[in-house]
Amino acid sequence: MSETAGQYDRLIALFLDMMVVDRAAAASTLKNYGRDLQRFALFLKTRGECLQTAGADDISAWLVDLEAEGIAPSTAALKTSALRQFFAFLYEEGLCADNPALAIERPHARRPLPKVLSEIETARLAEASLGSGDPKALRLRAMIELIYAAGLRVSELVTLPVSAVNAGQDALIVRGKGGKERLAPIGEFARRAVDDYLGVRQRFLPRGKGGKAPAPSVFLFPSRGKSGHITAARFAQMLKDVCARAGVAPERVSPHVLRHAFATHLLSGGADLRSVQQLLGHADITTTQIYTHVAQDRLQELVFNKHPLAAEKLLKSGK
């Protein structure tokens, strides 16, 4: 069965429209999915098939071709995800007789373990950021405390609206990936650091016309740059600059490392994985499971101290 370019373009466009409306997919996701599906459609054409008649063997053959090209397992997993969601959509909409992607196992990619700072190192970074206590130091201290206290993505931190930190509130409403909102509690140290910063925030507001009065800004961390707020790259550089005073190697520190620290320190302190998933804003708990490596020592201690057989062994030893 043949399928014209116009026909598969239409099917792919319908799928991408659904991703926008139902799942609030990011522009980069739409671009990648569209490209992968177009490429798969062209591959099917060489096999005399089309998107609506493709079988599991066609998908497997394409993945074998991709592997032969030397693509990483993580990249193959993303492309497989695009196909699984696309064929699920076609089947649910009655545009194909079955879902061939159900028989395809997602390639397993080994995730690198995240870099982790200790609790002491994280505290040293926050302390060192204060420096002489000038406005820039107060701003950096507030940013470090917030990203660590709430486990924010750096994109979430730099675009936080000033309305997110109303006086007296011990939590933020954070708008994460796909526009999804979550509640992010913050502790006393972060609350105090933000309050101190708010006292000097006006210093960083863009100048009004003619350079006379500061122009208002919706951002908690405004900037006079094009974006209107501190950029992720600028914050990353600010972190590197403070590392020497904190006694922490700069190559071990980045905004995302502070988010990792938030998750690992919670788990090592006894938090359950599901709660950490919700606090991080992960859609899938498998994304959060990468942090469980830090809990191994705590789990071992739990078994030795709490398991009935461990207690019996202690009794027999006379301890």
Side-chain angles (χ1 to χ4, degrees):
M1 178 178 177
S2 63
E3 183 177 64
T4 66
Q7 288 173 321
Y8 67 66
D9 281 345
R10 180 181 65 84
L11 293 175
I12 294 171
L14 287 172
F15 167 68
L16 296 179
D17 285 345
M18 179 277 295
M19 293 291 291
V20 171
V21 175
D22 292 353
R23 305 185 189 176
S28 57
T29 299
L30 298 174
K31 180 180 178 181
N32 291 336
Y33 278 16
R35 182 189 60 228
D36 291 340
L37 292 172
Q38 290 279 355
R39 185 176 176 185
F40 179 60
L42 292 175
F43 172 80
L44 289 175
K45 190 175 181 180
T46 66
R47 293 169 62 88
E49 294 291 346
C50 67
L51 291 173
Q52 290 173 286
T53 63
D57 56 334
D58 297 306
I59 299 175
S60 296
W62 188 56
L63 293 175
V64 168
D65 268 16
L66 293 177
E67 184 178 359
E69 293 175 12
I71 71 168
S74 56
T75 304
L78 291 173
K79 295 180 185 300
T80 305
S81 177
L83 291 183
R84 290 169 69 91
Q85 294 183 70
F86 176 69
F87 281 110
F89 166 75
L90 292 188
Y91 180 68
E92 289 168 4
E93 294 295 316
L95 296 172
C96 65
D98 60 8
N99 182 353
L102 289 176
I104 302 301
E105 190 172 332
R106 181 180 298 187
H108 295 290
R110 285 191 64 187
R111 285 176 174 267
L113 293 179
K115 296 179 182 178
V116 179
L117 295 177
S118 70
E119 295 178 36
I120 293 176
E121 288 172 324
T122 308
R124 288 210 309 258
L125 270 178
E127 287 296 328
S129 67
L130 192 54
S132 60
D134 63 11
K136 287 185 177 180
L138 291 174
R139 179 181 63 181
L140 179 56
R141 173 71 172 272
M143 296 183 79
I144 291 176
E145 290 283 6
L146 272 181
I147 198 170
Y148 174 61
L152 303 178
R153 300 177 177 92
V154 65
S155 59
E156 295 167 346
L157 175 72
V158 298
T159 59
L160 268 178
V162 68
S163 59
V165 290
N166 291 331
Q169 291 186 350
D170 293 325
L172 309 173
I173 298 296
V174 180
R175 187 178 293 275
K177 287 186 176 181
K180 293 182 179 179
E181 291 186 344
R182 69 181 189 276
L183 189 67
I186 59 173
E188 178 184 351
F189 290 110
R191 177 76 263 176
R192 191 184 308 158
V194 171
D195 288 343
D196 290 343
Y197 160 70
L198 288 174
V200 299
R201 176 178 172 272
Q202 188 171 0
R203 305 276 191 95
F204 304 103
L205 291 171
R207 306 306 298 180
K209 289 186 178 180
K212 294 182 178 179
S217 171
V218 299
F219 298 113
L220 177 59
F221 300 107
S223 165
R224 294 169 189 173
K226 186 177 180 181
S227 66
H229 58 76
I230 286 185
T231 64
R234 176 59 186 140
F235 176 53
Q237 185 57 55
M238 291 159 64
L239 277 179
K240 300 288 187 187
D241 292 343
V242 81
C243 283
R245 295 200 303 272
V248 180
E251 63 270 16
R252 296 182 57 223
V253 179
S254 72
H256 209 62
V257 166
L258 290 178
R259 177 169 155 90
H260 289 324
F262 164 83
T264 53
H265 296 168
L266 279 179
L267 284 170
S268 62
D272 65 274
L273 196 64
R274 184 69 67 180
S275 296
V276 175
Q277 176 197 2
Q278 293 174 347
L279 290 169
L280 289 171
H282 285 160
D284 190 338
I285 199 168
T286 57
T287 308
T288 318
Q289 286 172 341
I290 191 173
Y291 297 106
T292 57
H293 72 285
V294 301
Q296 295 306 310
D297 291 342
R298 183 177 62 83
L299 292 175
Q300 186 178 40
E301 182 182 358
L302 180 66
V303 170
F304 287 164
N305 292 335
K306 302 297 184 182
H307 196 283
L309 292 181
E312 182 180 347
K313 185 180 292 185
L314 287 174
L315 286 173
K316 288 182 178 179
S317 67
K319 293 182 180 180

